[in-house]
Structure formats: C-alpha cells, structure tokens
Amino acid sequence: MPIDLAQVRLDNALLLFEEFVQQAARQPDAATLRGLEGRFAERLQIQPSYWSQIKSRSRQIGERLARQFEERMRKPYGWMDTPHPQGGASAPAPLAPAPLSSTERADEAELAAQTDDERFIVGLVLTYYRRHPDKARARLLDLLSEVLVAAPALSASPPPAAQPARGDRASEAELLRRSQAGVQPLKRRR
C-alpha cells in the first residue's frame, strides 16, 4: 500500500511542533508558554495563519516547505517524508533540534522580524516568493543591487590624503560643494 505523503508530512510537522513545545516547557513560565504556535511558525519562517491552515488540513506541505521545515528544525534531508513513531511507551523520545551556537543565536535574533511592520514585510515577501519564486528572486536581487550600488556613491568621501590643504580656497569650495551634494535644505517654519 503506497504511503500518503501528505499525511506523513502532516504527522511529522505535528511531531516537530511537539518537540518544540517540549523544548519550551523545560522552562515553564507563563511568558514561555504563551504564543508557542506563533513562535513555532516564526522558527519555520512561515506565517502563523499558514501553520494553522496546515494543522487544520486545509493546506498541504509541499516539497519546498518540507525541506524548509527540515532545515529550520535541523533535521536531515527527507526526514519529513519518512514516517516516525509518535508518542506511546515504546516510541523513543523525539530528538531535540541541535542547540544553536551563540553566533547562530545572535544571527537568528538579528534576522528575525522584530516589529509588526517587519513581520508584515517578511510575510509579503515570502508570499510573493512562494507564488512566483523566479520573478521574486529576480526582483529582489534588482532591488538589492540598486541599494548596494547607490549606497557607496552616497557614502564615498575622498581619503584623508586627498583633503585640500588649508588656505587652498578653490579646493575648499569644491569640498564644500561635494559635502552638500544630496543634502536637502531645511524647510522654513510657517
């Protein structure tokens, strides 16, 4: 009998959530236990509503999302596609994700969306990317290159050796002109 891959992936996603809850319950204070599903979704880099849809079986876990789950929860490639024992006395305890190094924790904290605006933008970008991965990748790279090319031009200043000597009025005027380039005058109060 062929396995139902959608059901296996759902079962494994629920197993990952169970592991996540067990990890959080090691320090069972109210703040830790509040919002576990949202934090789990954030860890997987999906929207909480998307996680809710997966749990309610209104969405299935596709190939790309299965690999994302494995990567974010530090499971080997293909783990989501293989049935694993769930609970019961004979089943081994679920494996906890490998602990993050302090550098990885700092990197993850820095990359995590911290405000509602950031979460909204990340959600929009992920939605766009999941629907049109090639177009999204190309457009995001275009936007990034615009920022990276424009940034050095704005912040470039001549090296200290190129600074004009005191008393050289023409060089001082040129330095003043360059320093004012791109600076908008203040608006007068009315």
Side-chain angles (χ1 to χ4, degrees):
M1 180 171 128
I3 64 168
D4 179 3
L5 188 57
Q7 185 62 46
V8 169
R9 286 179 175 167
L10 173 63
D11 292 343
N12 288 336
L14 294 172
L15 188 61
L16 289 175
F17 179 67
E18 196 175 302
E19 290 176 15
F20 183 81
V21 169
Q22 286 178 358
Q23 286 256 314
R26 288 182 184 166
Q27 302 141 357
D29 61 348
T32 302
L33 297 176
R34 202 177 3 234
L36 280 175
E37 292 204 358
R39 291 203 327 257
F40 180 67
E42 189 175 295
R43 172 88 182 264
L44 295 174
Q45 294 181 336
I46 61 174
Q47 293 295 312
S49 60
Y50 197 73
W51 169 240
S52 181
Q53 292 169 356
I54 290 171
K55 285 188 325 177
S56 68
R57 295 169 173 75
S58 62
R59 294 258 186 183
Q60 291 187 353
I61 300 171
E63 181 71 21
R64 184 179 292 150
L65 191 57
R67 303 297 77 88
Q68 182 177 327
F69 276 38
E70 292 164 353
E71 181 183 326
R72 299 299 302 152
M73 296 302 288
R74 305 208 181 329
K75 297 294 183 187
Y77 183 89
W79 187 91
M80 289 290 292
D81 301 337
T82 308
H84 301 282
Q86 295 187 14
S90 62
L95 298 173
L100 299 175
S101 71
S102 60
T103 305
E104 288 174 320
R105 276 194 306 272
D107 289 346
E108 205 167 274
E110 183 179 321
L111 291 175
Q114 298 171 359
T115 66
D116 287 341
D117 285 343
E118 286 181 355
R119 283 186 280 279
F120 176 72
I121 294 299
V122 168
L124 283 177
V125 171
L126 280 174
T127 301
Y128 180 51
Y129 179 80
R130 288 176 181 149
R131 290 184 181 161
H132 309 285
D134 295 329
K135 285 172 46 177
R137 184 180 299 111
R139 185 64 185 130
L140 288 170
L141 288 174
D142 287 344
L143 290 170
L144 184 60
S145 68
E146 287 175 20
V147 171
L148 293 177
V149 169
L154 293 176
S155 65
S157 61
Q163 297 295 329
R166 258 193 168 340
D168 185 359
R169 303 300 275 174
S171 296
E172 287 179 5
E174 175 61 20
L175 179 61
L176 178 63
R177 186 190 65 72
R178 280 190 292 169
S179 68
Q180 291 175 338
V183 176
Q184 296 292 325
L186 295 174
K187 293 184 180 179
R188 295 180 186 247
R189 289 187 182 179
R190 294 182 184 184

